[in-house]
Amino acid sequence: MYKQTLWGFRRKALPLTILTGLFLLTVSVYEAIWGAAWAGPLVYLAPGLLFCLAALALLALSFLSFEYRLVEEDFFVRALALGRPFRAQTARLKPGQCRLRRPYRPWQALRVKKSRYYLPLIGGYRLCLLEYQSEGQTNYLLFRPSPDLAELIERRLEPRQWQAPEETLSEEDTTAE
């Protein structure tokens, strides 16, 4: 079994500092457009909406984390909010029915619906796309595994490439007693 957890902002001081800076920037934008002839309701509404969207994204990244588990042939992915799971997915890793695209490039699967299990603004490992069959459908799972986890998944999907050659015993060796 292999387990990996991707945490959001571990220290809450960083997102709060970013939010304070964004709030001050929003206030300075309001000061710049105050009393301008071209300032209408939409111009006053836009900076506030942008600040709210950025604040929600940063707060979501503060409390979200993702957990990846590889247990024999099953790959489990869970999204956690405040340490409690709210979304999960399972993929059975079968050679020939699954494929790991490592590293993932956005133009590889543009028009397919992907399940995203990673934090977009927090750096770390490279993105991978797992394409697998479940109930006759092809599903796509986008996640950020560590290099060790990605290598273990590749070993499960291509066992012939990773197995050591078996030594063959001649008949003389087996009957020598």
Side-chain angles (χ1 to χ4, degrees), residues 13 18 28 43 52 75 77 102 113-115 130 143-144 168:
I18 294 171
S28 67
V43 173
C52 289
F75 182 59
V77 182
R102 172 182 165 195
K113 183 181 178 189
K114 298 176 268 307
S115 300
L130 182 67
F143 65 109
R144 257 186 227 270
T168 57

Side-chain angles (χ1 to χ4, degrees), residues 4-15 58 61-66 119 122:
Q4 175 191 348
T5 303
L6 286 178
W7 297 97
F9 291 113
R10 298 292 297 237
R11 299 188 70 218
K12 303 305 181 231
L14 179 65
L58 283 172
L61 289 175
S62 297
F63 300 110
L64 279 180
S65 60
F66 294 97
L119 297 168
I122 296 176

Side-chain angles (χ1 to χ4, degrees), residues 16-30 47 51 54-55:
L16 290 177
T17 304
I18 294 171
L19 281 177
T20 303
L22 285 174
F23 176 74
L24 294 174
L25 182 64
T26 305
V27 169
S28 67
V29 167
Y30 279 126
F51 172 74

Side-chain angles (χ1 to χ4, degrees), residues 111-116 138-140:
R111 297 179 184 230
V112 296
K113 183 181 178 189
K114 298 176 268 307
S115 300
R116 290 173 171 79
T138 303
N139 298 321
Y140 298 90

Side-chain angles (χ1 to χ4, degrees), residues 1-4 66-79 87-93 117 130 141 143 149 153:
M1 180 176 121
Y2 187 90
K3 178 182 173 184
Q4 175 191 348
F66 294 97
E67 183 178 272
Y68 310 135
R69 287 184 188 207
L70 181 63
V71 181
E72 294 183 16
E73 291 184 356
D74 293 325
F75 182 59
F76 301 98
V77 182
R78 292 192 315 175
R87 189 174 66 180
Q89 199 162 354
T90 305
R92 180 160 303 266
L93 303 176
Y117 285 89
L130 182 67
L141 178 69
F143 65 109
L149 179 59
I153 292 172

